Amino acid sequence: MVGLNDDTISKVVDPELTTIDYPGKSIGEIAAASLLNQLQNKSKSQADKTVILKAYLIVRGSSLRLAKITHYKLVDCPTSFPD
């Protein structure tokens, strides 16, 4: 089982929840800036722009077979994907 956003609850449930930590604030800021630029007709190509932000998989007990996990591992997700 895997959660999203590394909320506090993911660390206090048993077993701890494996989660994906992503830059939500940056996603919102980039989306808002893109929308404002499109509304102001500053850049019509902005809608075609691809922005890649890093996300991290934090592996915890919910995705492991061990009975008790007391640590977690940070895994860097790829920043680009094949076509």
Side-chain angles (χ1 to χ4, degrees):
M1 183 178 298
V2 178
L4 188 61
N5 201 26
D6 197 24
D7 290 326
T8 303
I9 191 73
S10 65
K11 298 174 199 138
V12 297
V13 295
D14 188 20
E16 290 183 347
L17 185 63
T18 294
T19 187
I20 298 172
D21 188 14
Y22 65 93
K25 182 178 178 187
S26 294
I27 291 169
E29 289 172 346
I30 291 167
S34 176
L35 177 62
L36 290 173
N37 282 337
Q38 289 179 46
L39 291 173
Q40 296 170 357
N41 293 321
K42 286 187 177 178
S43 174
K44 294 191 182 258
S45 65
Q46 191 67 268
D48 297 331
K49 184 177 178 182
T50 299
V51 177
I52 299 174
L53 301 173
K54 283 192 173 190
Y56 297 93
L57 175 64
I58 302 172
V59 180
R60 296 191 180 110
S62 68
S63 62
L64 300 176
R65 293 184 182 185
L66 301 175
K68 184 72 175 172
I69 304 298
T70 58
H71 65 282
Y72 63 87
K73 180 174 144 186
L74 190 64
V75 179
D76 191 7
C77 294
T79 56
S80 62
F81 300 94
D83 294 334

